Amino acid sequence: SSGINFGKFDHIAVKVTGENPPQAIDSFERANLRKFVVENVLKSGYKKPTPIQKHAIPIIMNGRDLMGCAQTGSGKTAAFLVPIINTLLQDSRELIVGENGCAQPQVIIVSPTRELTLQIFNEARKFAFGTVLKVATAYGGTAVRHQSDQISRGCHILVATPGRLHDFVDRNRISFDSIRFIVLDEADRMLDMGFIPSIEKMMQHPTMVQGTDRQTLMFSATFPEDIQHLAGRFLNNYLFVAVGIVGG
Ligand code: ADP
Ligand code: MG
């Protein structure tokens, strides 16, 4: 592990708003997760959930949409990956690849940079290790070929930057018909980098699963008004979890 003292987050105030939030968890072992998932989490060196994980994991496992705000380094990646992977294993659905090799991921995680995309991809592979789940990536600045081959073999989870995601969608390599989860990670940075029109395009895509058949999760280190506004539009009866001070 990175040697970060996660105990330091324990005394930070957590604010939860929204209807009927589930009880926060206090350990991975008692979170009602599948044994395999707990083992993979512990093998990654995570002994105790961080505050955002304590709240986000049961919220996502309960099928709710979430806007999660917590500082950088507070464990937001596992806060969404662990419950998503658990749900995919618990309630598994057939992996679909169209005849033309067009993949239908069940989860798309959008992140602003190649570096973050690779971090999320690596963490997802650790938590899904030894399971049937396939994870793929799509990010720019590198040849399309390898990513395209990987995607066309089918993927449950796709971690992508907005530009390359749309390249693949426009080439009919990815469709949104089988989506169960959309995660917008680092929403505030995506806003600063001008990615919101791209996110809008994904959300309004004709093949995108809409309404309560899809769970939408947004994460951000800060919560400026523009992000509050987007949360209101993309999320459905969502819970808001803020760890510490998250002003604009
Ligand atoms: P954020 O997305 O909030 O910036 P990350 O998810 O990238 O934070 O996590 C920061 C670091 O802390 C990573 O190295 C990650 O592996 C580690 N980490 C996350 N959750 C835990 C945990 N519960 N126990 C130990 N290490 C953790
Ligand atoms: Mg992060």
Side-chain angles (χ1 to χ4, degrees):
S1 123
S2 52
I4 296 171
N5 172 20
F6 280 97
K8 77 181 178 193
F9 292 120
D10 278 349
H11 305 290
I12 297 173
V14 180
K15 180 177 141 195
V16 181
T17 354
E19 283 172 33
N20 301 317
Q23 176 91 56
I25 55 160
D26 61 4
S27 83
F28 291 116
E29 292 91 334
R30 287 190 296 275
N32 237 341
L33 293 160
R34 290 170 83 85
K35 195 165 150 265
F36 223 99
V37 176
V38 176
E39 282 170 6
N40 281 346
V41 168
L42 298 177
K43 264 192 267 172
S44 304
Y46 295 17
K47 294 187 181 71
K48 237 171 87 53
T50 65
I52 189 69
Q53 291 164 4
K54 288 180 181 179
H55 290 269
I57 290 172
I59 287 171
I60 299 167
M61 286 172 75
N62 273 277
R64 299 289 299 273
D65 282 4
L66 170 67
M67 176 73 233
C69 294
Q71 72 183 83
T72 301
S74 61
K76 294 190 290 295
T77 317
F80 59 82
L81 283 178
V82 169
I84 287 176
I85 287 170
N86 193 72
T87 302
L88 297 189
L89 293 171
Q90 186 116 346
D91 167 21
S92 69
R93 294 187 196 161
E94 201 188 338
L95 189 63
I96 303 172
V97 182
E99 269 173 38
N100 52 0
C102 177
Q104 296 187 14
Q106 298 175 15
V107 181
I108 292 184
I109 299 161
V110 187
S111 119
T113 67
R114 165 200 172 113
E115 185 200 17
L116 285 165
T117 297
L118 282 167
Q119 277 174 21
I120 299 165
F121 173 68
N122 287 325
E123 198 140 334
R125 282 201 305 183
K126 274 196 280 175
F127 296 143
F129 183 78
T131 72
V132 297
L133 298 178
K134 290 188 182 182
V135 190
T137 44
Y139 52 82
T142 181
V144 167
R145 185 60 188 273
H146 174 70
Q147 294 174 3
S148 179
D149 287 349
Q150 189 192 36
I151 289 165
S152 66
R153 286 193 290 273
C155 57
H156 296 84
I157 301 175
L158 178 72
V159 191
T161 52
R164 187 56 67 96
L165 172 67
H166 284 297
D167 279 357
F168 282 117
V169 171
D170 294 342
R171 294 165 190 231
N172 276 315
R173 310 315 292 160
I174 292 168
S175 86
F176 300 118
D177 303 78
S178 296
I179 287 295
R180 303 171 71 175
F181 292 95
I182 292 284
V183 181
L184 306 178
D185 196 23
E186 306 252 0
D188 49 358
R189 278 185 72 187
M190 291 209 279
L191 181 80
D192 292 344
M193 291 170 75
F195 287 143
I196 300 308
S198 201
I199 304 292
E200 301 266 5
K201 184 180 163 192
M202 172 180 74
M203 294 305 217
Q204 285 155 22
H205 194 272
T207 71
M208 176 58 84
V209 174
Q210 298 292 347
T212 53
D213 290 338
R214 180 190 86 207
Q215 250 177 286
T216 309
L217 314 170
M218 282 176 67
F219 288 87
S220 193
T222 60
F223 200 47
E225 229 169 86
D226 287 346
I227 298 294
Q228 297 172 36
H229 184 67
L230 287 177
R233 288 180 39 225
F234 295 150
L235 310 180
N236 206 340
N237 185 28
Y238 68 98
L239 288 165
F240 170 73
V241 176
V243 178
I245 298 154
V246 289

Coordinates of all heavy atoms in Angstrom, one line a residue, residues 120-163:
I120 N -7.6 3.5 -13.1 CA -8.9 2.9 -12.8 C -9.0 1.5 -13.4 O -9.4 0.5 -12.8 CB -10.1 3.8 -13.3 CG1 -10.1 5.2 -12.7 CG2 -11.4 3.1 -13.1 CD1 -11.0 6.2 -13.4
F121 N -8.5 1.4 -14.6 CA -8.4 0.1 -15.3 C -7.6 -0.9 -14.5 O -8.1 -2.1 -14.3 CB -7.7 0.3 -16.7 CG -7.4 -0.9 -17.5 CD1 -8.4 -1.7 -18.0 CD2 -6.1 -1.3 -17.7 CE1 -8.1 -2.9 -18.7 CE2 -5.8 -2.4 -18.4 CZ -6.8 -3.2 -18.9
N122 N -6.5 -0.5 -14.0 CA -5.6 -1.5 -13.2 C -6.3 -1.9 -11.9 O -6.3 -3.0 -11.5 CB -4.2 -0.9 -12.9 CG -3.4 -0.9 -14.2 OD1 -3.5 -1.8 -15.0 ND2 -2.6 0.2 -14.4
E123 N -7.0 -0.9 -11.3 CA -7.7 -1.2 -10.0 C -8.9 -2.1 -10.3 O -9.1 -3.1 -9.5 CB -8.1 0.1 -9.3 CG -8.5 -0.1 -7.9 CD -8.0 1.1 -7.0 OE1 -7.0 1.8 -7.3 OE2 -8.6 1.3 -5.9
A124 N -9.6 -1.9 -11.4 CA -10.7 -2.7 -11.7 C -10.2 -4.2 -12.0 O -10.9 -5.1 -11.6 CB -11.4 -2.2 -13.0
R125 N -9.1 -4.3 -12.7 CA -8.6 -5.7 -12.9 C -8.2 -6.4 -11.6 O -8.4 -7.6 -11.5 CB -7.4 -5.6 -13.9 CG -7.9 -5.4 -15.3 CD -6.9 -5.9 -16.3 NE -5.6 -5.2 -16.0 CZ -4.6 -5.3 -16.8 NH1 -4.5 -6.1 -17.8 NH2 -3.5 -4.6 -16.5
K126 N -7.7 -5.6 -10.7 CA -7.3 -6.3 -9.4 C -8.6 -6.8 -8.7 O -8.6 -7.9 -8.1 CB -6.6 -5.2 -8.5 CG -5.1 -5.1 -8.7 CD -4.5 -4.4 -7.5 CE -4.6 -2.9 -7.6 NZ -4.1 -2.1 -6.5
F127 N -9.6 -5.9 -8.6 CA -10.8 -6.3 -7.9 C -11.6 -7.4 -8.6 O -12.4 -8.1 -8.0 CB -11.7 -5.1 -7.6 CG -11.1 -4.0 -6.8 CD1 -11.3 -2.7 -7.0 CD2 -10.3 -4.4 -5.7 CE1 -10.8 -1.7 -6.2 CE2 -9.7 -3.4 -4.9 CZ -9.9 -2.1 -5.1
A128 N -11.5 -7.5 -9.9 CA -12.2 -8.5 -10.7 C -11.3 -9.7 -11.0 O -11.8 -10.6 -11.6 CB -12.7 -7.9 -12.0
F129 N -10.1 -9.8 -10.4 CA -9.2 -10.8 -10.7 C -9.8 -12.2 -10.3 O -10.5 -12.4 -9.3 CB -7.9 -10.7 -9.8 CG -6.9 -11.7 -10.1 CD1 -6.1 -11.6 -11.2 CD2 -6.7 -12.8 -9.2 CE1 -5.1 -12.6 -11.5 CE2 -5.8 -13.7 -9.5 CZ -5.0 -13.7 -10.6
G130 N -9.6 -13.1 -11.2 CA -10.2 -14.5 -11.0 C -11.6 -14.6 -11.3 O -12.2 -15.7 -11.1
T131 N -12.3 -13.6 -11.8 CA -13.7 -13.7 -12.1 C -13.8 -13.7 -13.6 O -12.9 -13.5 -14.4 CB -14.5 -12.5 -11.6 OG1 -14.2 -11.3 -12.3 CG2 -14.2 -12.2 -10.1
V132 N -15.1 -13.8 -14.1 CA -15.3 -13.8 -15.6 C -15.3 -12.4 -16.2 O -15.3 -12.2 -17.4 CB -16.7 -14.4 -16.0 CG1 -16.7 -15.9 -15.5 CG2 -17.8 -13.6 -15.3
L133 N -15.2 -11.4 -15.3 CA -15.4 -10.0 -15.8 C -14.2 -9.5 -16.7 O -13.1 -9.7 -16.3 CB -15.6 -9.1 -14.6 CG -16.8 -9.4 -13.8 CD1 -16.9 -8.4 -12.6 CD2 -18.1 -9.3 -14.6
K134 N -14.6 -9.0 -17.8 CA -13.6 -8.4 -18.7 C -13.6 -6.9 -18.6 O -14.6 -6.3 -18.6 CB -13.9 -8.8 -20.1 CG -13.6 -10.3 -20.4 CD -13.8 -10.5 -21.9 CE -13.6 -12.0 -22.2 NZ -13.7 -12.2 -23.7
V135 N -12.4 -6.3 -18.5 CA -12.2 -4.9 -18.4 C -11.4 -4.4 -19.6 O -10.4 -5.0 -20.0 CB -11.5 -4.5 -17.1 CG1 -11.6 -3.0 -16.8 CG2 -12.1 -5.2 -15.9
A136 N -11.8 -3.3 -20.2 CA -11.1 -2.8 -21.4 C -10.9 -1.2 -21.2 O -11.6 -0.6 -20.3 CB -11.9 -3.0 -22.7
T137 N -10.0 -0.7 -22.0 CA -9.8 0.8 -21.9 C -9.9 1.4 -23.3 O -9.6 0.8 -24.3 CB -8.4 1.1 -21.4 OG1 -7.5 0.3 -22.1 CG2 -8.3 1.0 -19.9
A138 N -10.2 2.7 -23.3 CA -10.2 3.5 -24.5 C -9.7 4.9 -24.2 O -10.4 5.6 -23.5 CB -11.6 3.5 -25.1
Y139 N -8.5 5.2 -24.6 CA -8.0 6.6 -24.3 C -7.2 7.0 -25.5 O -6.7 6.2 -26.3 CB -7.2 6.6 -23.0 CG -6.1 5.6 -23.0 CD1 -4.8 5.8 -23.6 CD2 -6.3 4.4 -22.3 CE1 -3.9 4.8 -23.6 CE2 -5.3 3.4 -22.2 CZ -4.1 3.6 -22.9 OH -3.1 2.6 -22.9
G140 N -7.0 8.3 -25.7 CA -6.4 8.9 -26.8 C -4.8 8.9 -26.7 O -4.3 8.4 -25.7
G141 N -4.2 9.4 -27.7 CA -2.7 9.5 -27.7 C -2.0 8.2 -28.0 O -0.8 8.1 -27.9
T142 N -2.7 7.2 -28.5 CA -2.1 5.9 -28.8 C -2.9 5.3 -29.9 O -4.1 5.7 -30.1 CB -2.0 5.1 -27.5 OG1 -1.4 3.8 -27.9 CG2 -3.4 4.8 -26.9
A143 N -2.3 4.3 -30.6 CA -3.0 3.7 -31.7 C -4.3 3.0 -31.3 O -4.5 2.6 -30.2 CB -2.1 2.6 -32.3
V144 N -5.3 3.1 -32.2 CA -6.6 2.6 -31.9 C -6.6 1.0 -31.9 O -7.4 0.4 -31.2 CB -7.6 3.1 -33.0 CG1 -8.9 2.3 -33.0 CG2 -7.8 4.6 -32.8
R145 N -5.8 0.4 -32.7 CA -5.8 -1.0 -33.0 C -5.9 -1.9 -31.8 O -6.8 -2.7 -31.7 CB -4.6 -1.4 -33.8 CG -4.6 -2.8 -34.3 CD -5.8 -3.1 -35.2 NE -5.8 -4.5 -35.5 CZ -5.2 -5.1 -36.5 NH1 -4.5 -4.4 -37.4 NH2 -5.3 -6.4 -36.7
H146 N -5.0 -1.8 -30.9 CA -4.9 -2.7 -29.7 C -6.2 -2.6 -28.9 O -6.8 -3.5 -28.5 CB -3.7 -2.4 -28.9 CG -3.7 -3.2 -27.6 ND1 -3.5 -4.6 -27.6 CD2 -3.9 -2.9 -26.3 CE1 -3.5 -5.0 -26.3 NE2 -3.8 -4.0 -25.5
Q147 N -6.6 -1.3 -28.6 CA -7.8 -1.1 -27.8 C -9.0 -1.6 -28.5 O -9.9 -2.2 -27.9 CB -8.0 0.4 -27.6 CG -7.0 1.1 -26.8 CD -7.1 2.6 -26.7 OE1 -8.0 3.2 -27.2 NE2 -6.1 3.3 -26.0
S148 N -9.1 -1.5 -29.9 CA -10.2 -1.9 -30.7 C -10.3 -3.5 -30.6 O -11.4 -4.0 -30.5 CB -10.0 -1.4 -32.1 OG -11.1 -1.9 -32.9
D149 N -9.2 -4.1 -30.7 CA -9.1 -5.6 -30.6 C -9.7 -6.1 -29.3 O -10.5 -7.0 -29.2 CB -7.7 -6.2 -30.8 CG -7.2 -6.0 -32.2 OD1 -8.1 -5.7 -33.1 OD2 -6.0 -6.2 -32.5
Q150 N -9.2 -5.4 -28.2 CA -9.6 -5.8 -26.9 C -11.1 -5.6 -26.7 O -11.8 -6.4 -26.2 CB -8.8 -4.9 -25.9 CG -8.9 -5.2 -24.4 CD -8.3 -4.1 -23.6 OE1 -8.4 -2.9 -23.9 NE2 -7.7 -4.5 -22.5
I151 N -11.6 -4.4 -27.2 CA -13.0 -4.1 -27.0 C -13.9 -5.1 -27.8 O -14.9 -5.6 -27.3 CB -13.3 -2.7 -27.4 CG1 -12.7 -1.7 -26.4 CG2 -14.8 -2.4 -27.6 CD1 -12.6 -0.3 -26.9
S152 N -13.4 -5.4 -29.0 CA -14.3 -6.3 -29.8 C -14.4 -7.7 -29.3 O -15.2 -8.5 -29.8 CB -13.8 -6.3 -31.3 OG -12.5 -6.8 -31.3
R153 N -13.5 -8.1 -28.4 CA -13.7 -9.4 -27.7 C -14.7 -9.4 -26.6 O -15.0 -10.4 -26.0 CB -12.3 -9.9 -27.1 CG -11.3 -10.3 -28.2 CD -10.1 -11.1 -27.6 NE -9.3 -10.2 -26.9 CZ -8.2 -9.5 -27.4 NH1 -8.0 -9.6 -28.7 NH2 -7.5 -8.8 -26.7
G154 N -15.3 -8.2 -26.4 CA -16.3 -8.0 -25.4 C -15.8 -7.5 -24.1 O -14.7 -7.9 -23.7
C155 N -16.5 -6.6 -23.5 CA -16.1 -6.2 -22.2 C -17.3 -5.8 -21.3 O -18.3 -5.3 -21.8 CB -15.1 -5.0 -22.3 SG -15.8 -3.5 -23.1
H156 N -17.2 -6.2 -20.0 CA -18.2 -5.8 -19.1 C -18.0 -4.3 -18.7 O -19.0 -3.6 -18.5 CB -18.2 -6.7 -17.8 CG -18.4 -8.1 -18.0 ND1 -17.5 -9.0 -18.5 CD2 -19.6 -8.8 -17.9 CE1 -18.0 -10.2 -18.6 NE2 -19.3 -10.1 -18.2
I157 N -16.7 -4.0 -18.4 CA -16.4 -2.7 -17.9 C -15.5 -2.0 -18.9 O -14.4 -2.5 -19.3 CB -15.7 -2.8 -16.5 CG1 -16.6 -3.6 -15.5 CG2 -15.3 -1.5 -16.0 CD1 -15.9 -3.8 -14.2
L158 N -15.8 -0.8 -19.3 CA -15.0 0.0 -20.2 C -14.6 1.3 -19.5 O -15.5 2.0 -19.0 CB -15.7 0.3 -21.5 CG -14.9 1.2 -22.5 CD1 -13.8 0.4 -23.1 CD2 -15.8 1.8 -23.5
V159 N -13.3 1.5 -19.4 CA -12.8 2.7 -18.7 C -12.3 3.6 -19.9 O -11.4 3.2 -20.6 CB -11.7 2.5 -17.7 CG1 -11.4 3.7 -16.9 CG2 -12.0 1.3 -16.8
A160 N -12.8 4.8 -20.0 CA -12.5 5.6 -21.2 C -12.4 7.1 -21.0 O -13.0 7.7 -20.0 CB -13.7 5.4 -22.2
T161 N -11.6 7.7 -21.8 CA -11.7 9.2 -21.9 C -12.7 9.6 -22.9 O -13.0 8.8 -23.8 CB -10.3 9.8 -22.3 OG1 -9.9 9.1 -23.5 CG2 -9.2 9.6 -21.2
P162 N -13.3 10.8 -22.8 CA -14.5 11.1 -23.6 C -14.2 11.1 -25.1 O -15.0 10.6 -25.9 CB -14.9 12.5 -23.2 CG -14.3 12.7 -21.8 CD -13.1 11.8 -21.8
G163 N -13.1 11.6 -25.5 CA -12.8 11.7 -27.0 C -12.7 10.3 -27.6 O -13.3 10.0 -28.6

